[in-house]
Amino acid sequence: MTVAAVIVAGGSGLRAGGERPKQYQLIGGRPVIWWTCRAFLDHPAIDHVQPVIGEGHEAMFAEAVKGLALPLPVIGGATRQESCRIGIEAVERLKPEKVLVHDAARPFVSDALIADVVAWLDRFPAVVPGMPVAETLKFAPGGMVGRTIDRASIWAAQTPQGFAYGPILAAYRKAEHERTEGLTDDASVAEHAGIAISIIPGQIDNRKLTTAEDVEIADREMMARQLQTLPDIRVGQGIDIHPFEAGDAVTLCGIAIPHSQRLKGHSDADVAMHALTDAILGTIGEGDIGTHFPPSEPQWKGAPSRIFLARAVELLEAKRGIIANADITILAEAPKIAPHVAAMKAFLAPLLHIDPSRIAIKATTMEKLGAIGRREGIMAHATVTVRLP
Ligand code: MG
């Protein structure tokens, strides 16, 4: 029995504000769509996850789901209905018996709800999770109440909506053939085709992120959830030093700062990022930068240090860990660090998958004492806290 899941992320989602569609905005350090896709990828009842994305979102999507074992996305259509049909057609070659269609903007979907929908499909050709409506419903055309609607049988439909594959594919093709438009969810398409649909209890927090406020609340909630499930707290420390040589800029935390000298090293000599990388490796007992990227290997000559940092984060995440905070101190007489701190945090945050507010970058001089005080080089210390299952 093959069960496919189609994740619909076609919308431009601009109601939530911000520079990017809401499914690509960050919550708990990751794009909304990353959480949604992972929920299905990790689920034992789901065999295949097919994302449907908006035209022109290819690069944004690839960046957002980096590290997840997803197939290439398909490009959706002008309406949700069309995007769903394209997604459902995209999994036809797998000959699935069941297909679930889920909104990318519902990242809190629980394992239990996915399992319920899959299980109920043994009894019905279509299954929709829904929440009973608590508010009194008024029918009010033109802003004047006409009547009160009996809410006893009213449900607010959620996703994932599940279907026997053959019938829903046929229903979508029928709707397309007949040019029936404006069906806002998959169950409406099934209804239109006369398929019997069962409604089962949904999940109260499986809400669709729509507004900027939704995204903000989801951000806090996702972080809190992660911390709850990751009780193993570890601290790692890293220290690095590089001497100066002739040059015109130093790279610190990924940012090139004009200076009368540069730092000498095999890579880009980003001493702060090296300390940070070692601190992360320290939390999981995975050696140090030199273990993973030996200076004897010519391929790392001049390499940007974000490669090293990304590898350390990858090793941590392979253990299902997350970074809780990073605290970096740069010891240097010059150049001045403070004007670049915001840019440094903005550079590091997406690599660490945390909010910039969880990163500290401080600088101190050595009051002209010792090698650093004599301006012979720059040193950095980093402390990182991680959380593991
Ligand atoms: Mg180094």
Side-chain angles (χ1 to χ4, degrees):
M1 157 87 63
T2 300
V3 182
V6 171
I7 309 297
V8 188
S12 60
L14 295 174
R15 248 190 301 174
E19 284 167 14
R20 35 184 58 205
K22 60 179 183 286
Q23 63 271 31
Y24 295 104
Q25 293 186 20
L26 298 184
I27 59 169
R30 300 278 195 175
V32 170
I33 193 170
W34 186 91
W35 295 106
T36 309
C37 287
R38 199 185 69 165
F40 285 86
L41 277 173
D42 278 1
H43 202 284
I46 304 292
D47 304 299
H48 184 84
V49 181
Q50 178 62 59
V52 184
I53 66 168
E55 200 173 353
H57 292 175
E58 293 87 342
M60 200 159 49
F61 175 79
E63 180 62 33
V65 300
K66 218 192 239 169
L68 295 181
L70 282 170
L72 281 178
V74 289
I75 307 299
T79 62
R80 187 181 191 282
Q81 184 185 332
E82 214 183 320
S83 295
C84 291
R85 177 184 56 76
I86 291 167
I88 288 169
E89 283 180 338
V91 297
E92 194 180 8
R93 67 196 153 80
L94 304 165
K95 301 190 172 37
E97 276 86 4
K98 301 174 180 177
V99 62
L100 270 56
V101 180
H102 186 68
D103 297 325
R106 294 185 194 264
F108 291 106
V109 58
S110 69
D111 289 350
L113 184 61
I114 296 172
D116 279 354
V117 172
V118 173
W120 277 86
L121 280 173
D122 289 337
R123 299 173 55 183
F124 296 94
V127 176
V128 172
M131 294 304 295
V133 177
E135 285 86 4
T136 299
L137 296 175
K138 301 290 184 192
F139 180 71
M144 294 301 290
V145 173
R147 63 193 161 87
T148 297
I149 293 170
D150 175 15
R151 69 176 180 221
S153 305
I154 301 285
W155 295 70
Q158 297 186 339
T159 72
Q161 301 187 351
F163 305 92
Y165 186 75
I168 193 69
L169 179 65
Y172 264 103
R173 287 187 169 155
K174 178 172 181 281
E176 195 204 5
H177 183 72
E178 293 170 352
R179 297 178 187 275
T180 305
E181 285 169 9
L183 302 173
T184 55
D185 71 349
D186 305 280
S188 317
V189 176
E191 267 169 73
H192 182 73
I195 297 172
I197 306 163
S198 162
I199 198 149
I200 64 167
Q203 175 196 333
I204 194 158
D205 55 355
N206 178 32
R207 63 190 179 280
K208 188 171 181 175
L209 309 186
T210 307
T211 64
E213 196 190 0
D214 292 341
V215 175
E216 239 178 83
I217 294 169
D219 180 32
R220 287 197 295 272
E221 195 176 318
M222 198 54 100
M223 189 47 97
R225 277 185 188 213
Q226 286 192 83
L227 297 181
Q228 250 171 32
T229 56
L230 302 170
D232 185 356
I233 301 172
R234 301 189 190 183
V235 177
Q237 171 225 45
I239 298 176
D240 197 22
I241 184 166
H242 282 254
F244 282 126
E245 63 180 10
D248 56 8
V250 294
T251 302
L252 294 169
C253 295
I255 304 299
I257 304 172
H259 188 52
S260 52
Q261 289 172 296
R262 52 165 276 158
L263 289 171
K264 184 180 175 187
H266 190 64
S267 64
D268 63 5
D270 189 331
V271 62
M273 218 188 292
H274 293 179
L276 178 59
T277 304
D278 273 354
I280 296 169
L281 292 171
T283 62
I284 48 173
E286 286 277 3
D288 61 18
I289 263 194
T291 321
H292 299 277
F293 302 95
S296 53
E297 285 180 15
Q299 56 175 315
W300 309 122
K301 186 162 173 48
S305 296
R306 69 178 145 73
I307 297 175
F308 311 151
L309 181 63
R311 178 70 186 137
V313 173
E314 202 178 291
L315 289 167
L316 171 69
E317 289 176 351
K319 295 179 193 295
R320 292 260 159 179
I322 64 162
I323 294 167
N325 82 300
D327 185 8
I328 300 163
T329 304
I330 297 169
L331 290 73
E333 298 299 313
K336 283 220 176 307
I337 307 298
H340 306 282
V341 164
M344 290 172 170
K345 288 186 184 187
F347 183 88
L348 293 177
L351 289 167
L352 300 176
H353 300 134
I354 57 176
D355 191 84
S357 66
R358 290 175 178 269
I359 302 172
I361 300 171
K362 316 189 294 305
T364 182
T365 71
M366 296 296 281
E367 301 291 348
K368 302 195 172 81
L369 296 172
I372 302 296
R374 291 189 300 270
R375 300 177 178 241
E376 291 171 16
I378 294 181
M379 193 180 205
H381 291 228
T383 305
V384 164
T385 314
V386 304
R387 304 282 299 242
L388 287 158

